[in-house]
Amino acid sequence: MNASRVQLPDLEREQRLLEIRREAEQRGAVTAKGIRSTGAPFPMASPETGYYGIPLLKRPSWTWEIPLYFFVGGAAGASAVVGAIANYTGADRRLVRDARWIAAAGSVISPALLISDLGRPSRFLNMLRVFKAQSPMSVGVWTLLGFSGGSVAAAFAGSLRERYGESLPIRILENAGEAASLLFGLPFSNYTGVLIGATAIPAWNENAGELPMHFGMSGLAASVGLLELMGHRRSRALQMLGLGAAVFECWEGWHLESHKISALEPLKHGSSGRLTRVGGVLSGPLPVALRVASLMSGKNSTKMRKWAAISAVAGSLLTRIAWIHAGHVSAGDWREPLQVSE
């Protein structure tokens, strides 16, 4: 090695490196500008210019179909679970039938929305060529496939049994379909929370641990609301399920508001923040107040439950729209350091 090319440590440089390390430990980010090596073949990437004009963090390319897909899938998956449990416990047969048909309708609408966003059916079919357990997208597509088959089979067999009576083939088809819809219904109602939490978008990634439960409870609230709007406003079990989901949504709203992290700012400010808060109020405090008032009236007021159901369904849909919108905003604000405000 040529001794003339060996560069000895410089005291000033070593001191600067020590300052940078301390800044990184204290703030969680380094604000000092980097340097571009002489003769480097590429320009310095920056928040303003990106890398060769390409943004460093890509915004979601999803269209309007995706938040609607999230909403429909959440309500359908939860309805399949509600219907199966109602059937196993000997609840009202009309409740079981309506829950199954909500699940079946959602299992048909969901792939249609997904294919519409993808652009053509072949892209959806290509996703079924492989199964990747580590990919939320791959797991979600196969879950959708299993859920669709099970929920449609259960609803169809139940309809045949009501029209033509009991028979062994119909009973086998109904039981198998219900078991499949129950097995796939729960993950289908909340896998979308896992899907967006696994991205690099700060507002989503920061809530990766809470999003699946949040979306699952929001889907349950929508399912209960739809069933109540279909006339099941005397069921105490649905009342308790709706109240439990609304209480959880209140807690989720408090959780988001109490954490002073810059990555969560799109969920609190601007148009995305307003959507999030309105959706939170419609999903949590308002249904809680209406359902509690209904219980305290002593008559299980169907009118209050109707408005609680409308509020829960609207809040669930608006919540999905708000989270997607916040993801777009967060992708543009990625350069903000993740630090707790005083």
Side-chain angles (χ1 to χ4, degrees), residues 72-105:
V72 171
S79 294
V81 176
V82 170
I85 294 175
N87 185 40
Y88 293 150
T89 57
D92 178 19
R93 292 302 307 175
R94 194 168 67 90
L95 173 62
V96 175
R97 181 198 64 196
D98 290 345
R100 285 177 175 176
W101 279 115
I102 291 175

Side-chain angles (χ1 to χ4, degrees), residues 66-316:
I66 294 303
L68 190 56
Y69 167 71
F70 285 8
F71 166 75
V72 171
S79 294
V81 176
V82 170
I85 294 175
N87 185 40
Y88 293 150
T89 57
D92 178 19
R93 292 302 307 175
R94 194 168 67 90
L95 173 62
V96 175
R97 181 198 64 196
D98 290 345
R100 285 177 175 176
W101 279 115
I102 291 175
S107 71
V108 174
I109 296 172
S110 292
L113 289 170
L114 187 56
I115 290 171
S116 177
D117 176 73
L118 292 172
R120 54 179 183 266
S122 60
R123 291 178 178 173
F124 176 79
L125 295 175
N126 287 337
M127 297 171 71
L128 300 174
R129 295 173 62 185
V130 296
F131 174 78
K132 296 181 179 179
Q134 70 275 21
S135 169
M137 179 70 77
S138 179
V139 172
V141 169
W142 281 99
T143 299
L144 168 59
L145 190 66
F147 173 74
S148 296
S151 58
V152 170
F156 179 66
S159 179
L160 290 178
R161 182 174 53 78
E162 291 178 359
R163 174 169 294 189
Y164 300 109
E166 193 78 30
S167 68
L168 182 60
I170 291 177
R171 188 185 309 120
I172 292 175
L173 180 62
E174 182 178 9
N175 292 340
E178 187 168 64
S181 64
L182 177 61
L183 176 65
F184 292 105
L186 184 59
F188 185 58
S189 69
N190 60 23
Y191 96 90
T192 49
V194 180
L195 177 65
I196 65 174
T199 67
I201 294 177
W204 293 349
N205 186 264
E206 188 67 32
N207 293 279
E210 291 80 23
L211 275 169
M213 184 64 74
H214 177 32
F215 277 21
M217 284 296 172
S218 180
L220 176 60
S223 170
V224 170
L226 290 173
L227 287 169
E228 288 178 328
L229 291 175
M230 293 175 73
H232 302 283
R233 292 194 286 274
R234 296 291 182 182
S235 171
R236 187 172 180 83
L238 286 180
Q239 175 80 300
M240 292 298 102
L241 284 174
L243 181 59
V247 168
F248 180 88
E249 291 296 270
C250 288
W251 178 87
E252 182 64 27
W254 172 83
H255 172 79
L256 291 175
E257 293 292 339
S258 62
H259 282 66
K260 307 299 182 182
I261 303 175
S262 60
L264 303 182
E265 292 302 303
L267 298 167
K268 301 177 183 180
H269 303 292
S271 58
S272 59
R274 288 190 292 272
L275 279 174
T276 303
R277 284 173 169 162
V278 172
V281 170
L282 292 175
S283 298
L286 186 55
V288 166
L290 291 169
R291 292 187 184 280
V292 169
S294 173
L295 289 171
M296 292 181 65
S297 68
K299 300 178 181 179
N300 199 16
S301 172
T302 58
K303 185 175 182 180
M304 289 185 181
R305 287 187 64 173
K306 177 182 178 181
W307 284 109
I310 293 173
S311 177
V313 173
S316 181

